Amino acid sequence: MMAGARAHARWEIKMAGNLLGSRKRVLVLLLLTVPIVMGGLVFADQLGSTIPDILGGKKAYSPAFYSNGIFIVSILIGLGAGLITGCIGAGGGFIIAPALMSAGIKGILAVGTDLFHIFAKAIMGSIIHRKLGNVSVPLAVVFLIGAIGGATAGGLVNRVLYELNPVLSDAFITTIYALMLGFLGCYAMLDFLKARRATAAGEASVGGHGGGGEVAELGGLPKKLQAVVIPPMVKFDFDFTPGGRRISWVFLVLSGGLVGLAAGIMGVGGGFLTFPIFVYMLGVSSMTTVGTDIFQIVFTAGYASISQYAIYGFIFYTLAMGMLLGSLLGIQIGAMVTKVVPEITIRGFYAMAVLAGFVNRFFALPAKLGEMGVISISKGMGATLETIGIWAFFIVIAGFGIWVIGTFFKNIGQLRGEGEHA
């Protein structure tokens, strides 16, 4: 999962640099914000109570959709996620849904908005990476069969739960995020402590944007799965192995279904799952995995965001646009800061950020379970726990953001000199 997050982050860093390096693309992004800002200034009162009914009648769509204040908040959320992605070299998207939910956005709307934000970013990035030679189209096509099915199931689960009880929907999404972030956070903290001990012992430290070298030898599980012959067999990795490798379509479809289900439920691109599944289970080379993963995200996130959320009124376009702008800027600042900050420090911040997301969702859960009558807890106690989780989360993320931006301006002369010599 860590390797997948890092591989996807490296792609986001390159994509952000290419987008912001083009005046035409920057102009297009700015023009897209004009309707949002003008709508917030001129038509907020008239549209605030009308459009939500048109777009599926979902109460999750609050009139804040037309507020310039929430647009600014979305930019800050995107900036925080971008700083984590750029500085740490691992995907920062895990903070977006918890941040939106902490800001009062319904879980299902946070998921749909995050998916649309990922799709917009991926489609723009895919144009830049259209000449990638490490995209295996046969792998991607068969994988997408399962991913589309999984995304459909994930979106359906979220919508059914929301129709039954919006609180149940929030509790479900909160639980999924708490489990995922808890596991990833503990792993990241152990990885940080191990790296700190290694650094103290004088061992070389791996760069924050590195990792994920080519896998030369197949492990036991990939060998067993590739030995299973259930036609048709999909061939790949001709550039890395004489004669290439092959895997049954069944395993690709099942893998795609798992990744699509995670994307549909959590509002993520699925890259953190695709990498370990492809490399360590199916035996696909890491180079092919990265290119194919980027390719599939465009279709998986696009399909899920539009067919499972947009047409039902579960996408907060103001937030999606603001997060896109903020993340592009944050990624660039974060990536430059890595040149002047010890890698061990970066690992520590990553572990803290993930654990802050876990604490945020874990402390939000009792209030939701109490509201549904699953556990006995007073509203005051539930609200207090949720407030603690929100403050802990935003203090850590804001502290990290202030530190990164401060480090950037403090070393801007050195960074500018490096850029001129690059």
PDB file of all heavy atoms in Angstrom, residues 75-95:
ATOM      1  N   ILE A  75      -9.997  25.031  -1.216  1.00  0.00           N
ATOM      2  CA  ILE A  75      -8.634  25.283  -1.686  1.00  0.00           C
ATOM      3  C   ILE A  75      -7.632  24.916  -0.597  1.00  0.00           C
ATOM      4  O   ILE A  75      -6.586  24.309  -0.864  1.00  0.00           O
ATOM      5  CB  ILE A  75      -8.464  26.755  -2.107  1.00  0.00           C
ATOM      6  CG1 ILE A  75      -9.326  27.054  -3.346  1.00  0.00           C
ATOM      7  CG2 ILE A  75      -7.001  27.076  -2.391  1.00  0.00           C
ATOM      8  CD1 ILE A  75      -9.285  28.506  -3.785  1.00  0.00           C
ATOM      9  N   LEU A  76      -7.949  25.263   0.652  1.00  0.00           N
ATOM     10  CA  LEU A  76      -7.053  24.943   1.762  1.00  0.00           C
ATOM     11  C   LEU A  76      -6.947  23.433   1.975  1.00  0.00           C
ATOM     12  O   LEU A  76      -5.865  22.915   2.269  1.00  0.00           O
ATOM     13  CB  LEU A  76      -7.550  25.631   3.042  1.00  0.00           C
ATOM     14  CG  LEU A  76      -7.507  27.160   3.037  1.00  0.00           C
ATOM     15  CD1 LEU A  76      -8.104  27.710   4.324  1.00  0.00           C
ATOM     16  CD2 LEU A  76      -6.079  27.667   2.850  1.00  0.00           C
ATOM     17  N   ILE A  77      -8.071  22.718   1.830  1.00  0.00           N
ATOM     18  CA  ILE A  77      -8.040  21.256   1.957  1.00  0.00           C
ATOM     19  C   ILE A  77      -7.179  20.656   0.852  1.00  0.00           C
ATOM     20  O   ILE A  77      -6.346  19.773   1.088  1.00  0.00           O
ATOM     21  CB  ILE A  77      -9.466  20.677   1.913  1.00  0.00           C
ATOM     22  CG1 ILE A  77     -10.236  21.074   3.178  1.00  0.00           C
ATOM     23  CG2 ILE A  77      -9.423  19.150   1.784  1.00  0.00           C
ATOM     24  CD1 ILE A  77     -11.693  20.657   3.162  1.00  0.00           C
ATOM     25  N   GLY A  78      -7.383  21.136  -0.382  1.00  0.00           N
ATOM     26  CA  GLY A  78      -6.564  20.664  -1.491  1.00  0.00           C
ATOM     27  C   GLY A  78      -5.100  21.005  -1.297  1.00  0.00           C
ATOM     28  O   GLY A  78      -4.213  20.202  -1.630  1.00  0.00           O
ATOM     29  N   LEU A  79      -4.832  22.189  -0.743  1.00  0.00           N
ATOM     30  CA  LEU A  79      -3.455  22.604  -0.486  1.00  0.00           C
ATOM     31  C   LEU A  79      -2.790  21.657   0.515  1.00  0.00           C
ATOM     32  O   LEU A  79      -1.645  21.225   0.320  1.00  0.00           O
ATOM     33  CB  LEU A  79      -3.442  24.029   0.062  1.00  0.00           C
ATOM     34  CG  LEU A  79      -2.065  24.629   0.402  1.00  0.00           C
ATOM     35  CD1 LEU A  79      -1.230  24.785  -0.858  1.00  0.00           C
ATOM     36  CD2 LEU A  79      -2.228  25.979   1.102  1.00  0.00           C
ATOM     37  N   GLY A  80      -3.518  21.311   1.587  1.00  0.00           N
ATOM     38  CA  GLY A  80      -2.978  20.381   2.574  1.00  0.00           C
ATOM     39  C   GLY A  80      -2.679  19.022   1.974  1.00  0.00           C
ATOM     40  O   GLY A  80      -1.617  18.437   2.215  1.00  0.00           O
ATOM     41  N   ALA A  81      -3.615  18.504   1.175  1.00  0.00           N
ATOM     42  CA  ALA A  81      -3.403  17.205   0.525  1.00  0.00           C
ATOM     43  C   ALA A  81      -2.234  17.280  -0.443  1.00  0.00           C
ATOM     44  O   ALA A  81      -1.423  16.347  -0.535  1.00  0.00           O
ATOM     45  CB  ALA A  81      -4.674  16.775  -0.205  1.00  0.00           C
ATOM     46  N   GLY A  82      -2.127  18.402  -1.164  1.00  0.00           N
ATOM     47  CA  GLY A  82      -1.033  18.566  -2.115  1.00  0.00           C
ATOM     48  C   GLY A  82       0.317  18.663  -1.435  1.00  0.00           C
ATOM     49  O   GLY A  82       1.307  18.099  -1.915  1.00  0.00           O
ATOM     50  N   LEU A  83       0.381  19.364  -0.313  1.00  0.00           N
ATOM     51  CA  LEU A  83       1.642  19.477   0.431  1.00  0.00           C
ATOM     52  C   LEU A  83       2.116  18.111   0.904  1.00  0.00           C
ATOM     53  O   LEU A  83       3.313  17.798   0.860  1.00  0.00           O
ATOM     54  CB  LEU A  83       1.466  20.413   1.631  1.00  0.00           C
ATOM     55  CG  LEU A  83       1.305  21.908   1.315  1.00  0.00           C
ATOM     56  CD1 LEU A  83       0.947  22.685   2.583  1.00  0.00           C
ATOM     57  CD2 LEU A  83       2.581  22.471   0.691  1.00  0.00           C
ATOM     58  N   ILE A  84       1.166  17.277   1.364  1.00  0.00           N
ATOM     59  CA  ILE A  84       1.524  15.934   1.810  1.00  0.00           C
ATOM     60  C   ILE A  84       2.025  15.108   0.635  1.00  0.00           C
ATOM     61  O   ILE A  84       3.057  14.436   0.716  1.00  0.00           O
ATOM     62  CB  ILE A  84       0.315  15.254   2.476  1.00  0.00           C
ATOM     63  CG1 ILE A  84       0.003  15.939   3.807  1.00  0.00           C
ATOM     64  CG2 ILE A  84       0.594  13.769   2.707  1.00  0.00           C
ATOM     65  CD1 ILE A  84      -1.252  15.441   4.477  1.00  0.00           C
ATOM     66  N   THR A  85       1.311  15.162  -0.489  1.00  0.00           N
ATOM     67  CA  THR A  85       1.709  14.395  -1.666  1.00  0.00           C
ATOM     68  C   THR A  85       3.084  14.827  -2.158  1.00  0.00           C
ATOM     69  O   THR A  85       3.952  13.999  -2.435  1.00  0.00           O
ATOM     70  CB  THR A  85       0.684  14.572  -2.799  1.00  0.00           C
ATOM     71  OG1 THR A  85      -0.582  14.101  -2.367  1.00  0.00           O
ATOM     72  CG2 THR A  85       1.111  13.790  -4.040  1.00  0.00           C
ATOM     73  N   GLY A  86       3.288  16.143  -2.295  1.00  0.00           N
ATOM     74  CA  GLY A  86       4.542  16.639  -2.834  1.00  0.00           C
ATOM     75  C   GLY A  86       5.710  16.472  -1.897  1.00  0.00           C
ATOM     76  O   GLY A  86       6.805  16.087  -2.310  1.00  0.00           O
ATOM     77  N   CYS A  87       5.513  16.748  -0.619  1.00  0.00           N
ATOM     78  CA  CYS A  87       6.613  16.710   0.351  1.00  0.00           C
ATOM     79  C   CYS A  87       6.952  15.285   0.765  1.00  0.00           C
ATOM     80  O   CYS A  87       8.123  14.908   0.854  1.00  0.00           O
ATOM     81  CB  CYS A  87       6.257  17.539   1.579  1.00  0.00           C
ATOM     82  SG  CYS A  87       7.589  17.696   2.784  1.00  0.00           S
ATOM     83  N   ILE A  88       5.929  14.486   0.994  1.00  0.00           N
ATOM     84  CA  ILE A  88       6.149  13.144   1.517  1.00  0.00           C
ATOM     85  C   ILE A  88       6.370  12.139   0.395  1.00  0.00           C
ATOM     86  O   ILE A  88       7.025  11.122   0.573  1.00  0.00           O
ATOM     87  CB  ILE A  88       4.960  12.727   2.410  1.00  0.00           C
ATOM     88  CG1 ILE A  88       4.903  13.653   3.633  1.00  0.00           C
ATOM     89  CG2 ILE A  88       5.072  11.291   2.860  1.00  0.00           C
ATOM     90  CD1 ILE A  88       3.661  13.521   4.453  1.00  0.00           C
ATOM     91  N   GLY A  89       5.843  12.437  -0.778  1.00  0.00           N
ATOM     92  CA  GLY A  89       5.984  11.495  -1.875  1.00  0.00           C
ATOM     93  C   GLY A  89       5.053  10.319  -1.745  1.00  0.00           C
ATOM     94  O   GLY A  89       5.295   9.236  -2.263  1.00  0.00           O
ATOM     95  N   ALA A  90       3.964  10.503  -1.016  1.00  0.00           N
ATOM     96  CA  ALA A  90       2.926   9.476  -0.886  1.00  0.00           C
ATOM     97  C   ALA A  90       1.579  10.178  -0.963  1.00  0.00           C
ATOM     98  O   ALA A  90       1.455  11.340  -0.570  1.00  0.00           O
ATOM     99  CB  ALA A  90       3.059   8.719   0.429  1.00  0.00           C
ATOM    100  N   GLY A  91       0.600   9.492  -1.501  1.00  0.00           N
ATOM    101  CA  GLY A  91      -0.688  10.127  -1.746  1.00  0.00           C
ATOM    102  C   GLY A  91      -1.282  10.808  -0.531  1.00  0.00           C
ATOM    103  O   GLY A  91      -1.374  10.217   0.540  1.00  0.00           O
ATOM    104  N   GLY A  92      -1.698  12.071  -0.695  1.00  0.00           N
ATOM    105  CA  GLY A  92      -2.301  12.814   0.405  1.00  0.00           C
ATOM    106  C   GLY A  92      -3.809  12.843   0.327  1.00  0.00           C
ATOM    107  O   GLY A  92      -4.463  13.517   1.128  1.00  0.00           O
ATOM    108  N   GLY A  93      -4.374  12.101  -0.623  1.00  0.00           N
ATOM    109  CA  GLY A  93      -5.821  12.111  -0.791  1.00  0.00           C
ATOM    110  C   GLY A  93      -6.580  11.532   0.383  1.00  0.00           C
ATOM    111  O   GLY A  93      -7.789  11.765   0.526  1.00  0.00           O
ATOM    112  N   PHE A  94      -5.886  10.781   1.249  1.00  0.00           N
ATOM    113  CA  PHE A  94      -6.564  10.155   2.389  1.00  0.00           C
ATOM    114  C   PHE A  94      -7.102  11.189   3.370  1.00  0.00           C
ATOM    115  O   PHE A  94      -7.947  10.864   4.195  1.00  0.00           O
ATOM    116  CB  PHE A  94      -5.619   9.197   3.114  1.00  0.00           C
ATOM    117  CG  PHE A  94      -4.431   9.878   3.743  1.00  0.00           C
ATOM    118  CD1 PHE A  94      -4.512  10.446   4.995  1.00  0.00           C
ATOM    119  CD2 PHE A  94      -3.231   9.947   3.066  1.00  0.00           C
ATOM    120  CE1 PHE A  94      -3.426  11.082   5.564  1.00  0.00           C
ATOM    121  CE2 PHE A  94      -2.132  10.573   3.629  1.00  0.00           C
ATOM    122  CZ  PHE A  94      -2.235  11.151   4.879  1.00  0.00           C
ATOM    123  N   ILE A  95      -6.622  12.439   3.301  1.00  0.00           N
ATOM    124  CA  ILE A  95      -7.116  13.446   4.251  1.00  0.00           C
ATOM    125  C   ILE A  95      -8.354  14.167   3.717  1.00  0.00           C
ATOM    126  O   ILE A  95      -9.031  14.866   4.466  1.00  0.00           O
ATOM    127  CB  ILE A  95      -6.038  14.491   4.596  1.00  0.00           C
ATOM    128  CG1 ILE A  95      -5.858  15.498   3.455  1.00  0.00           C
ATOM    129  CG2 ILE A  95      -4.735  13.844   4.990  1.00  0.00           C
ATOM    130  CD1 ILE A  95      -5.140  16.748   3.862  1.00  0.00           C
TER     131      ILE A  95
END
